């Protein structure tokens, strides 16, 4: 294993079919990409379907005694490993290898193949029959292996495939695998086993996977009501609601009442305009400093036209590199993502939550749930007086915009035409050069929130 702390990391999924491996793989890469670490999923099943169309809707292809199929499957596994290494050599940082990897022999082959990289195995070990059955019905019926196949026939074939894997499955155990870095997740988070975690990426993966859950839930996201500073086109500040903002506050209270969510919680920033927006809603509230609007530093309270006149160089720099640009004495979007990471972790472990925040903060949250990259994040449109309903599901997130029909100014500034996306190498350079000071230094040393930064208000 390489000694350098900057060596790329390969996360190797382990588990029987219908255990949520692909769900976890995609969640992990979405998280790493959101925090600025170049990540990608490499799925062996996709390669297998191309190399062996006869494997589709055919459980016998996966029988351990089918030697010709075993040869094809091993060749597909090696081909995808080579593709993964090629991607890492071109600048990738975290590759997630999505396959069953169900035997010690296969896992040893992977370790030997990836000898120049850090490897971290993540096993989803699930014995709950209800969870397994739900995975079979909800996920595998939409699998490319069962397109245009009768639902009941598909389910029965998939169950036979699982039984074929069970014949030779070898779980990760400290007794046999003490030299491997691995994490074992039992029954989707009922219990965890963690062994020899090494390095920043593996620590972040463990922290993240211990927080996510797959329970049905809804996240409501909205900006505060309109303020007079919004009307004047001024950024930042801690202004109170305008007349229309007060109308929105009443409309939002009615909306929440109509949703009839008994277990709803509301999170706001510590700024007046978000707290005023939920003043009439009688549900438990938490007020987070981490949800405060992006700090515009020397530009606080100015209009964009005033910034262009007073700080012409800063204005130009922000136009061409909005994600990494940091306001003088303030923050960048990169800083903001780091600041609200604890909020994401809490959201992943909660049920129904409504977050009332600010334009830049809402963009960062939306980018996480909708898997939007850094080139798009600073330009996501989040209108005032609109509730965005987010419903996470297995491999993504459903979004619904619900205007509450209260007039408000448009504060959106579209992406300038002709901007060229940064290459992975340019992103790494920008990330390093913009992370040394301001609000970024020292953030999330232990991936926790300072209790003094969160105020609880439970009526």
């Amino acid at each position: 294993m390489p000694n350098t702390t900057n060596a790329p990391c390969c996360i190797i999924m382990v588990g029987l079919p219908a255990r949520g491996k692909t769900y976890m793989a995609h969640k992990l890469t979405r998280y790493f990409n959101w925090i600025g670490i170049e990540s990608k999923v490499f799925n062996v099943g996709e390669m297998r379907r191309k190399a062996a169309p006869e494997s589709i809707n055919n459980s016998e292809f996966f029988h351990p005694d089918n030697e010709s199929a075993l040869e094809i499957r091993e060749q597909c596994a090696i081909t995808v490993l080579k593709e993964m290494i090629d991607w890492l050599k071109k600048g990738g940082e975290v590759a997630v290898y999505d396959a069953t990897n169900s035997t010690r022999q296969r896992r040893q082959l992977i370790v030997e193949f990836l000898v120049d990289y850090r490897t971290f195995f993540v096993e989803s070990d699930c014995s709950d029959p209800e969870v397994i059955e739900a995975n079979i019905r909800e996920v595998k019926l939409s699998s490319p292996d069962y397109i245009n196949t009768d639902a009941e026939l598909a389910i029965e074939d998939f169950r036979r495939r699982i039984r074929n894997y069970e014949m030779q499955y070898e779980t990760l155990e400290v007794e046999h695998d003490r030299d491997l870095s691995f994490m074992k997740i039992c029954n989707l988070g009922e219990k965890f086993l963690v062994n020899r975690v090494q390095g920043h990426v593996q620590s972040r993966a463990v922290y993240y996977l211990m927080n996510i859950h797959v329970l049905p839930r809804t996240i409501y996201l909205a900006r505060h009501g309109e303020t007079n500073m919004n009307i004047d086109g001024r950024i930042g500040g801690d202004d109170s609601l305008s007349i229309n903002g007060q109308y929105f506050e009443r409309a939002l209270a009615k909306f929440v009442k109509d949703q009839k969510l008994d277990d709803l919680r509301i999170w706001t920033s510590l700024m007046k305009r978000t707290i005023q927006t939920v003043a009439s809603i009688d549900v438990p509230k938490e007020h987070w400093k981490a949800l405060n609007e992006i700090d515009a530093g020397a530009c606080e309270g100015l209009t964009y036209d005033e910034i262009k006149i007073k700080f012409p160089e800063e204005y130009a720099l922000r136009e061409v590199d909005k994600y990494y640009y940091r306001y003088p004495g303030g923050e960048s979007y990169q800083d903001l993502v780091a600041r609200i990471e604890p909020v994401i972790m809490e959201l992943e472990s909660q049920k129904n939550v409504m977050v009332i925040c600010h334009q830049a903060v809402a963009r960062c949250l939306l980018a996480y749930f909708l898997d939007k990259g850094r080139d798009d994040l600073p330009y996501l449109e989040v209108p005032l007086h609109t509730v965005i309903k987010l419903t996470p599901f297995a491999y993504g997130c459903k979004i619904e915009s619900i205007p509450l029909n209260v007039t408000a100014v448009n504060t959106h500034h579209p992406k300038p035409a002709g901007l060229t996306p940064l290459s992975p190498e340019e992103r790494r350079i920008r990330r390093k050069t913009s992370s040394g000071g301001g609000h970024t230094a020292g953030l999330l040393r232990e991936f926790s929130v300072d209790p003094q930064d969160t105020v609880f208000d439970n009526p």
Side-chain angles (χ1 to χ4, degrees), residues 123-140:
E123 179 180 9
S124 179
D125 180 19
C126 184
S127 57
D128 186 326
E130 291 185 6
V131 172
I132 296 168
E133 184 66 19
N135 273 347
I136 290 172
R137 291 187 174 274
E138 294 178 20
V139 178
K140 291 306 175 183

Side-chain angles (χ1 to χ4, degrees), residues 335-395:
D335 298 333
L336 191 54
V337 164
R339 167 152 63 88
I340 68 174
E341 185 182 359
V343 178
I344 288 292
M345 292 301 165
E346 282 298 308
L347 279 174
E348 285 287 7
S349 62
Q350 296 289 322
K351 294 188 73 176
N352 300 316
V353 178
M354 173 173 278
V355 182
I356 305 299
C357 54
H358 308 267
Q359 181 166 247
V361 174
R363 284 170 171 162
C364 292
L365 294 173
L366 270 181
Y368 170 79
F369 284 104
L370 302 182
D371 200 15
K372 297 294 184 181
R374 294 179 290 280
D375 296 324
D376 296 322
L377 183 155
Y379 303 102
L380 294 175
E381 189 166 4
V382 189
L384 285 165
H385 300 175
T386 298
V387 176
I388 298 173
K389 183 178 180 180
L390 298 168
T391 309
F393 59 91
Y395 302 131

Side-chain angles (χ1 to χ4, degrees), residues 296-325:
C299 298
E300 283 278 321
L302 301 179
T303 67
Y304 285 110
D305 286 340
E306 288 171 346
I307 294 171
K308 193 173 183 178
I309 294 169
K310 191 172 182 179
F311 304 107
E313 290 185 5
E314 297 295 331
Y315 182 89
L317 285 170
R318 190 167 189 268
E319 282 289 286
V320 299
D321 189 9
K322 193 172 180 181
Y323 181 83
Y324 290 105
Y325 169 81

Side-chain angles (χ1 to χ4, degrees), residues 211 213-220 261-267 345-355 369 390-392:
N211 278 279
H213 69 75
V214 295
L215 297 174
R217 66 215 171 95
T218 302
I219 297 162
Y220 297 93
L261 293 170
D262 295 334
D263 57 354
L264 180 70
R265 303 186 70 85
I266 289 180
W267 298 353
M345 292 301 165
E346 282 298 308
L347 279 174
E348 285 287 7
S349 62
Q350 296 289 322
K351 294 188 73 176
N352 300 316
V353 178
M354 173 173 278
V355 182
F369 284 104
L390 298 168
T391 309

